[in-house]
Amino acid sequence: MDNTIIIGIAVLVGLVVGFAIAKIMEKGKATKTIANARKEATDIIKEAKKEGESIKKDKIFQAKEKFLELKAEHEKVIINKDKKIAEAEKRTRDKESQISSELSKNKKLGERLEEQIREVTYKSEILDKKQSELEKLHKSQVQQLEVISGLSAEDAKSQLLESLKETAKTDAMAYLQNTLEEVKLTAQQEARKIVINTIQRIGTEEAVENCVSVFNLESDDVKGRIIGREGRNIRAIEAATGVEIIVDDTPEAIILSCFDSVRREVARLSLHRLVTDGRIHPARIEEVVKKTEKQINEEIAEIGKRTVIDLGIHGLHPELIKAVGRMKYRSSYGQNLLQHSREVAKLCGVMAAELGLNPKLAKRAGLLHDIGKVPMAEVEVETPHAILGMQWAQKYGENKEVCNAIGAHHDEIEMTTLISPIVQVCDAISGARPGARRQVLDSYIQRLKDLEDIAFAFNGVQKAYAIQAGRELRVIVESEKVSDDKAAELSFEISQKIQTDMTYPGQVKVTVIRETRSVNVAK
């Protein structure tokens, strides 16, 4: 027991002593570690101070270099400014010297000018004196000439002026004639090209219509059936159609007479149906005429539709389409109105395209320009067909340019668009081409006679002939009374007289012929 206690005490003492020794050793190590740390810290501080000094020196060196660079740049700027200032001062000195030289030159010029002014003044005084002397001399010479010639100065002057006027007038007329010819060749060259190309591109058939239609029969026996008992059938046909039926001795034919082509066509088709069917009596006549009128109205609408489709015209009012269809049964001076309107529409489209205008609008105006000739109802109107057509076009919502072209194509109203003169020109082209229209013989002969009478009204005219359907007037003058220069003047005066006093299609060429003959007989 005691040994155990002793051993325990010994172990305890050993542990205490070991702990104390461990503490002492640990404290020694800690002291040594602290000393080492202090030494390392001292070394680090020294190194940091060295690096700081080095960085400080580098920064100072860089700052000095930057300062030197900035200083060098500043000095360059100052040197450039000094150089510019020196150049400006030099230019200023040069300008001052130049101005000084200019001032000296101006002073010399001023002195020279004053000297020249004095010379001019002196010469002007001398000229005034000479002028007065010349006037005196001129008066004395005029007085001497008056005494010698027996004429006063005013009489001689008037005679001279008359002579000069006649010469100047003759020269002026010759010059004017040459100038007019030159202007026609140059100014109308492009227009002539456009018109010729347009005409060449448009080809339509010539149509001549009459106021009567001939209805052929298989035999003359049918004439009696058409006349009917006591003429009741023929009276019924005339009353229903408004057409006069002429039954004469012409074999196998009767004549239908009416100015309205539509009614004449209705009568012709009705007679054809009645004769084919064989039943001819008043009730049947009225029934057939009504059916035929309905058929014709449908055909008119179809013709109008086909026409606007062929010409590429869209959006036309149905009433205007019907008016276009009715044109087929109308004629103007023997020219079918629908063919004329189609021709004018095509001409307008081609011409508008050549001139850079709207060809569709021009076609529309060309097609509708004569709708005033196709009345919407059987009424008597005194309004010109151009104005009436314009009113209908406005009523059915046509374009303002189209309405103006319709109303102005015969100059009833003022033209306000470029399409209007095109429609007028194309209407004249279509109507004036050979074979398009026929004229009454009396009016044609009268127009030729009027042309010749205008020529005979001038002095010196011996003979006058209107040729080429009145498109040329040839005038033969007396060589003793009319000179060559006077012939040119006479040609111009006759053309102006024709242009002022007459109305005619196209142009009239005036040719004055002067011939001199010397005849001797050898025996």
Side-chain angles (χ1 to χ4, degrees), residues 123-137:
K123 290 180 179 179
S124 177
E125 293 175 355
I126 294 174
L127 286 173
D128 290 339
K129 292 179 181 179
K130 290 185 176 180
Q131 182 68 28
S132 61
E133 292 176 359
L134 284 173
E135 288 179 356
K136 292 179 181 178
L137 182 61

Side-chain angles (χ1 to χ4, degrees), residues 1-203:
M1 182 72 180
D2 293 333
N3 290 332
T4 305
I5 293 171
I6 292 169
I7 291 167
I9 292 170
V11 171
L12 183 61
V13 171
L15 290 170
V16 171
V17 172
F19 180 75
I21 292 168
K23 283 292 186 181
I24 292 168
M25 290 177 70
E26 184 178 355
K27 186 177 180 180
K29 287 182 179 180
T31 303
K32 188 175 180 180
T33 302
I34 291 169
N36 292 332
R38 287 177 177 174
K39 185 179 179 181
E40 289 179 359
T42 302
D43 293 339
I44 290 169
I45 290 169
K46 288 181 179 180
E47 289 293 330
K49 286 181 177 180
K50 289 181 180 178
E51 290 180 359
E53 290 294 331
S54 175
I55 292 170
K56 182 179 179 181
K57 290 179 180 179
D58 291 339
K59 293 297 183 182
I60 292 171
F61 181 72
Q62 290 177 1
K64 287 181 178 179
E65 287 183 346
K66 186 68 175 177
F67 174 73
L68 292 174
E69 289 178 0
L70 292 174
K71 184 179 179 182
E73 290 179 358
H74 183 65
E75 287 176 351
K76 287 181 180 178
V77 171
I78 291 172
I79 290 169
N80 289 331
K81 287 184 177 179
D82 292 340
K83 186 176 180 182
K84 290 180 179 178
I85 291 170
E87 291 176 353
E89 290 177 351
K90 184 179 178 182
R91 287 196 299 270
T92 304
R93 287 194 297 272
D94 293 340
K95 286 188 176 181
E96 287 177 353
S97 62
Q98 185 178 359
I99 290 170
S100 299
S101 65
E102 291 290 336
L103 287 174
S104 62
K105 288 181 181 178
N106 288 335
K107 186 177 180 181
K108 291 179 181 179
L109 288 173
E111 293 175 354
R112 191 179 302 170
L113 182 61
E114 290 178 358
E115 184 179 354
Q116 289 179 353
I117 289 172
R118 286 194 295 271
E119 290 179 359
V120 169
T121 304
Y122 176 71
K123 290 180 179 179
S124 177
E125 293 175 355
I126 294 174
L127 286 173
D128 290 339
K129 292 179 181 179
K130 290 185 176 180
Q131 182 68 28
S132 61
E133 292 176 359
L134 284 173
E135 288 179 356
K136 292 179 181 178
L137 182 61
H138 176 69
K139 288 181 180 179
S140 64
Q141 288 178 348
V142 168
Q143 291 174 356
Q144 291 176 4
L145 288 173
E146 288 179 353
V147 173
I148 294 170
S149 63
L151 293 173
S152 65
E154 293 298 327
D155 293 339
K157 188 187 294 183
S158 62
Q159 289 183 7
L160 179 61
L161 284 176
E162 288 297 327
S163 176
L164 290 175
K165 279 182 182 178
E166 190 66 26
T167 305
K169 185 178 180 181
T170 303
D171 294 342
M173 293 306 301
Y175 176 76
L176 180 61
Q177 188 70 22
N178 294 332
T179 305
L180 285 174
E181 293 297 330
E182 184 178 354
V183 167
K184 287 178 181 178
L185 289 175
T186 56
Q188 295 184 356
Q189 182 176 3
E190 190 62 26
R192 187 181 295 111
K193 177 182 176 183
I194 291 173
V195 172
I196 291 174
N197 288 340
T198 303
I199 295 173
Q200 288 176 343
R201 291 172 60 179
I202 303 298

Side-chain angles (χ1 to χ4, degrees), residues 293-316:
E293 287 178 348
K294 183 178 180 181
Q295 177 187 347
I296 290 294
N297 289 331
E298 292 175 354
E299 184 179 349
I300 285 172
E302 184 63 27
I303 290 170
K305 290 179 183 178
R306 285 203 306 268
T307 301
V308 297
I309 290 173
D310 291 344
L311 295 174
I313 297 173
H314 305 285
L316 204 62

Side-chain angles (χ1 to χ4, degrees), residues 441-455:
L441 181 61
D442 293 341
S443 63
Y444 170 74
I445 294 174
Q446 185 62 38
R447 184 163 70 88
L448 298 185
K449 187 175 182 300
D450 291 341
L451 278 174
E452 294 176 353
D453 289 342
I454 287 176

Side-chain angles (χ1 to χ4, degrees), residues 241-467:
T241 60
V243 174
E244 182 182 358
I245 300 177
I246 302 172
V247 181
D248 54 13
D249 296 335
T250 306
E252 299 180 355
I254 60 175
I255 297 174
L256 309 177
S257 177
C258 181
F259 286 101
D260 190 334
S261 303
V262 177
R263 287 187 295 179
R264 200 164 65 243
E265 183 68 10
V266 169
R268 190 185 68 81
L269 293 177
S270 300
L271 276 175
H272 178 72
R273 288 185 176 182
L274 290 169
V275 171
T276 303
D277 183 56
R279 293 177 294 168
I280 305 176
H281 53 81
R284 177 64 177 164
I285 289 170
E286 291 180 1
E287 179 185 352
V288 170
V289 169
K290 288 181 180 179
K291 288 182 179 179
T292 306
E293 287 178 348
K294 183 178 180 181
Q295 177 187 347
I296 290 294
N297 289 331
E298 292 175 354
E299 184 179 349
I300 285 172
E302 184 63 27
I303 290 170
K305 290 179 183 178
R306 285 203 306 268
T307 301
V308 297
I309 290 173
D310 291 344
L311 295 174
I313 297 173
H314 305 285
L316 204 62
H317 193 277
E319 289 298 326
L320 295 179
I321 292 177
K322 291 180 182 178
V324 171
R326 280 196 293 271
M327 288 181 183
K328 179 182 178 183
Y329 300 101
R330 294 281 178 176
S331 61
S332 177
Y333 297 99
Q335 184 180 22
N336 183 269
L337 195 58
L338 179 60
Q339 293 296 332
H340 168 64
S341 298
R342 286 174 64 98
E343 185 175 342
V344 172
K346 292 178 181 179
L347 289 168
C348 289
V350 176
M351 194 171 289
E354 291 288 340
L355 295 174
L357 302 176
N358 188 343
K360 292 185 178 179
L361 205 62
K363 278 186 179 181
R364 199 181 192 97
L367 178 64
L368 299 177
H369 80 284
D370 269 346
I371 57 170
K373 292 182 179 180
V374 186
M376 299 293 183
E378 294 295 331
V379 293
E380 292 291 334
V381 292
E382 296 182 358
T383 308
H385 75 275
I387 302 299
L388 193 60
M390 180 184 70
Q391 293 172 356
W392 289 343
Q394 291 172 345
K395 178 181 177 181
Y396 297 116
E398 280 300 313
N399 188 289
K400 291 182 179 179
E401 295 186 21
V402 174
C403 295
N404 180 258
I406 295 171
H409 79 276
H410 285 313
D411 294 325
E412 273 85 4
I413 63 172
E414 182 182 359
M415 296 183 182
T416 58
T417 65
L418 293 176
I419 294 178
S420 300
I422 291 178
V423 172
Q424 187 181 54
V425 169
C426 294
D427 180 41
I429 291 172
S430 175
R433 64 181 176 81
R437 296 180 176 181
R438 64 173 187 272
Q439 292 180 320
V440 180
L441 181 61
D442 293 341
S443 63
Y444 170 74
I445 294 174
Q446 185 62 38
R447 184 163 70 88
L448 298 185
K449 187 175 182 300
D450 291 341
L451 278 174
E452 294 176 353
D453 289 342
I454 287 176
F456 282 120
F458 290 86
N459 293 328
V461 176
Q462 185 179 9
K463 296 179 182 179
Y465 301 102
I467 61 176

